[in-house]
Amino acid sequence: ARAGGQPLPLSGRRAIVTSGPTHEPIDPVRYIANRSSGKQGHAIAAALAKLGAEVTLVSGPVEIADPSGVRVVHVERAEEMLDAVVAALPADIAVMVAAVADWRVAASAGEKIKKKPGEAPPPLQLAENPDILKTIGHHAARPRLVVGFAAETQNLEANARDKLKRKGADLIVANDVSPATGIMGGDRNNVKIVSSDGIDAWPELSKQEVAERLANLIATRLTELR
Ligand code: CTP
Ligand code: CA
């Protein structure tokens, strides 16, 4: 509660947010990664905390600072991210923003892979990573409000609707990550909110504004669920 004032809209609520990329090791010195900066996920964690929520942010490797007022758990791999998210349950809210690597190297090497004269490049056998959002969306201790993102470069709305159903989410924040948009790594975002109610297209906003607007929407939705 705010000193002397009204309680904040999310006070007494627990939230789990994932953010950033994951790094999937090839050997001790190399990894597979993606272009996620963590800016959107970190901003959402901060915005939920500002509304009074008790937030656990599970972050992959990022260059940006930990947001204040938030408990931060740092991880590298998708499997570690899943373990940290499950360990943070129970919660009222889950917002899965991380750009989790879809695949890891099936058997990463314990020693640095060396070039051998005359030999072909090493084949990289991949294995599918656990789907953290889907696991949480169908978990016995499922948070009451589960929010996912859908990073798409094509068929945005159809793919987002499909992810909503498949992953057991209440809301999907769909964003176009085509290279031409410059969204990945940038400071702005242009999203559509997909739910069973339909699709709401938000204007292009800063990632901070998207975070604040989403935190407010989450607070409203939770009140409606009560
Ligand atoms: N996600 C996750 N764990 C994964 C993959 C994705 O938690 N292993 C989450 C993301 O954090 C996001 C949502 O699922 O909230 C959608 O991620 P996205 O990459 O768009 O979807 P995928 O299901 O991985 O499908 P694809 O990449 O093939 O479009
Ligand atoms: Ca993916």
Side-chain angles (χ1 to χ4, degrees), residues 18 96-102 129-134 147-152 163 166-167:
T18 66
M96 305 287 94
V97 196
V100 182
D102 291 324
N129 267 330
D131 189 318
I132 301 166
L133 173 59
K134 194 173 172 189
V147 182
F149 271 64
E152 308 291 350
K163 282 174 185 165
R166 222 164 11 94
K167 296 177 184 247

Side-chain angles (χ1 to χ4, degrees), residues 9-221:
L10 290 177
S11 54
R13 307 288 201 176
R14 288 167 51 89
I16 307 170
V17 179
T18 66
S19 184
T22 63
H23 284 184
E24 306 297 332
I26 296 169
D27 68 17
V29 299
R30 305 183 177 101
Y31 56 83
I32 298 175
N34 61 63
R35 296 185 192 285
S36 170
S37 65
K39 285 175 188 167
Q40 187 64 82
H42 280 51
I44 290 167
L48 291 168
K50 223 168 124 186
L51 292 189
E54 187 191 308
V55 181
T56 298
L57 171 63
V58 182
S59 176
V62 294
E63 308 265 292
I64 58 176
D66 290 354
S68 57
V70 165
R71 185 172 79 99
V72 186
V73 180
H74 293 275
V75 299
E76 287 211 358
R77 299 180 289 111
E79 290 173 312
E80 291 169 348
M81 187 173 273
L82 174 62
D83 289 348
V85 167
V86 169
L89 290 170
D92 305 285
I93 303 156
V95 190
M96 305 287 94
V97 196
V100 182
D102 291 324
W103 304 283
R104 65 179 178 277
V105 176
S108 63
E111 305 287 349
K112 183 185 168 196
I113 302 168
K114 300 293 288 179
K115 284 178 290 182
K116 295 196 190 91
E119 272 192 20
L124 282 185
Q125 182 90 35
L126 301 180
E128 194 165 327
N129 267 330
D131 189 318
I132 301 166
L133 173 59
K134 194 173 172 189
T135 304
I136 295 308
H138 295 97
H139 200 277
R142 182 190 189 278
R144 283 201 292 168
L145 202 64
V146 175
V147 182
F149 271 64
E152 308 291 350
T153 60
Q154 54 188 328
N155 304 328
L156 183 86
E157 297 187 7
N159 283 330
R161 268 195 300 268
D162 178 57
K163 282 174 185 165
L164 183 78
K165 274 183 76 181
R166 222 164 11 94
K167 296 177 184 247
D170 300 293
L171 297 174
I172 290 283
V173 182
N175 64 344
D176 183 344
V177 294
S178 306
T181 64
I183 291 299
M184 213 81 176
D187 289 318
R188 299 189 68 76
N189 211 349
N190 194 338
V191 304
K192 291 180 174 156
I193 307 295
V194 181
S195 71
S196 57
D197 298 346
I199 296 180
D200 188 13
W202 288 1
E204 188 187 304
L205 300 165
S206 70
K207 285 184 175 174
Q208 167 148 1
E209 289 165 332
V210 168
E212 285 165 2
R213 214 164 148 154
L214 184 63
N216 284 322
L217 176 60
I218 286 169
T220 306
R221 287 257 173 172

